Amino acid sequence: MPLKFVLRPNEKVIINGAVIGAGDRPGSFFLYNTANFLRGREVLKEEQIDSIEKKLYFVIQLIYIFPEDTVLNLQRFTSILEETRDARPDCRKDLDDIERLVEARNYYRALKLCRKLFKGGADSSGEAAADPSSDPAP
């Protein structure tokens, strides 16, 4: 079953590294095969990193979006994951789950779980974090 995307006016999505944007009107399209994607509201920009949890999210995002740099970014992930464990011992189970998801190359689900660790449960734009069970895995 294809995955349907509906983009609001001027909204963007990254699919397999390509940035696709809507025009002045909303539009929809379908993905009929497996693809790596992030909606614009799920993308964390480097200048938005203000916590260790966002630093972890960002490196997972890099692994996911730029597979050509996976080896380097996995090394960064390991280091940042340890920093996060030291800073957030209360999130041990979630961090273990994130590690397992990254090892299984399920980066999208790892990102969703990591976003839940952001302070206050808000995403980088200040909107409430989406329920990870409502988004299909790519």
Side-chain angles (χ1 to χ4, degrees):
M1 185 156 115
L3 174 66
K4 180 180 180 181
F5 274 95
V6 177
L7 293 179
R8 293 175 273 186
N10 303 310
E11 187 177 21
K12 295 178 183 154
V13 64
I14 298 172
I15 301 175
N16 288 345
V19 178
I20 299 170
D24 294 338
R25 291 185 251 151
S28 63
F29 62 94
F30 297 87
L31 289 176
Y32 289 95
N33 60 335
T34 302
N36 293 340
F37 68 90
L38 282 178
R39 293 171 187 89
R41 65 184 174 264
E42 297 169 322
V43 175
L44 183 68
K45 297 176 184 163
E46 193 167 10
E47 59 270 13
Q48 294 173 303
I49 299 171
D50 60 5
S51 67
I52 191 66
E53 299 86 0
K54 288 182 181 180
K55 190 174 179 182
L56 183 64
Y57 183 96
F58 186 75
V59 76
I60 297 168
Q61 175 182 283
L62 291 177
I63 295 166
Y64 185 51
I65 295 174
F66 301 110
E68 64 274 11
D69 297 326
T70 297
V71 173
L72 174 62
N73 287 320
L74 281 172
Q75 292 170 347
R76 291 178 179 157
F77 168 77
T78 301
S79 174
I80 295 167
L81 180 64
E82 290 310 312
E83 285 180 51
T84 309
R85 283 189 168 132
D86 290 343
R88 295 290 306 271
D90 58 311
C91 296
R92 186 174 148 233
K93 183 190 177 315
D94 286 336
L95 293 171
D96 288 347
D97 289 345
I98 289 168
E99 181 177 31
R100 278 191 283 281
L101 288 167
V102 168
E103 287 172 355
R105 297 181 182 170
N106 194 340
Y107 306 121
Y108 191 81
R109 293 252 187 245
L111 286 168
K112 288 296 189 182
L113 184 54
C114 191
R115 186 173 288 277
K116 288 173 45 179
L117 301 179
F118 292 2
K119 301 285 189 226
D123 69 16
S124 59
S125 65
E127 297 174 9
D131 176 7
S133 62
S134 68
D135 284 327

